[in-house]
Amino acid sequence: MGMKKFEVLKRVDTLCKNPFSAEEKRAWCAELDAMLKKEYYRMDTPDVGEEETLPPPPYDAMYIDFVMAKCCYYQRDFDAYNQHITAFNSKLSDFSNWYIRTHMPERETENKIKNWI
């Protein structure tokens, strides 16, 4: 089970002072949800509800970096934005590799030719 979105918002507020409302930060979480649903969870979207992140731990931490990057971007702190979006992209890449590895269909081995010269 993933992290709750209120935990994401609380963590972001603890790590980074920002003037943005909880609703704005929830909208950024929803933006990330939509991206993940489109790119990864096309047919098998987990039933986690609106208040939980889609990916399981440890990949759910990408939400923190994504929201922090958005906060920095809109505050025009581009150095911090670059750090957070780089961390987000790294976590997204790790998630992508895990998702592909664990959700690939089983390969049929009996139809493959073995020891063929």
Side-chain angles (χ1 to χ4, degrees):
M1 183 181 302
M3 186 182 330
K4 302 278 187 196
K5 290 185 182 163
F6 79 86
E7 294 173 309
V8 170
L9 304 184
K10 184 177 176 184
R11 184 82 172 138
V12 167
D13 289 340
T14 301
L15 294 172
C16 161
K17 288 189 177 192
N18 64 79
F20 303 103
S21 70
E23 290 307 311
E24 289 171 305
K25 290 179 267 196
R26 277 194 190 95
W28 293 329
C29 288
E31 181 182 333
L32 182 53
D33 282 344
M35 182 188 73
L36 292 172
K37 285 179 184 178
K38 180 181 177 198
E39 296 297 324
Y40 299 100
Y41 294 110
R42 292 184 185 160
M43 299 303 284
D44 59 338
T45 303
D47 185 22
V48 296
E50 290 292 314
E51 290 304 313
E52 289 184 32
T53 58
L54 291 174
Y59 309 106
D60 56 355
M62 76 173 83
Y63 279 77
I64 296 168
D65 289 308
F66 185 77
V67 173
M68 288 181 69
K70 288 286 194 172
C71 289
C72 293
Y73 179 81
Y74 289 113
Q75 290 180 329
R76 294 178 166 73
D77 184 355
F78 298 116
D79 289 333
Y81 166 79
N82 285 330
Q83 291 173 353
H84 293 297
I85 206 68
T86 299
F88 165 74
N89 285 328
S90 176
K91 289 176 180 137
L92 180 61
S93 177
D94 291 344
F95 167 73
S96 179
N97 291 336
W98 168 82
Y99 188 85
I100 291 168
R101 209 173 37 249
T102 60
H103 290 79
M104 286 190 73
E106 293 293 325
R107 295 192 175 132
E108 296 179 25
T109 56
E110 60 244 13
N111 293 336
K112 295 200 179 214
I113 300 172
K114 295 181 182 178
N115 299 326
W116 183 58
I117 300 177

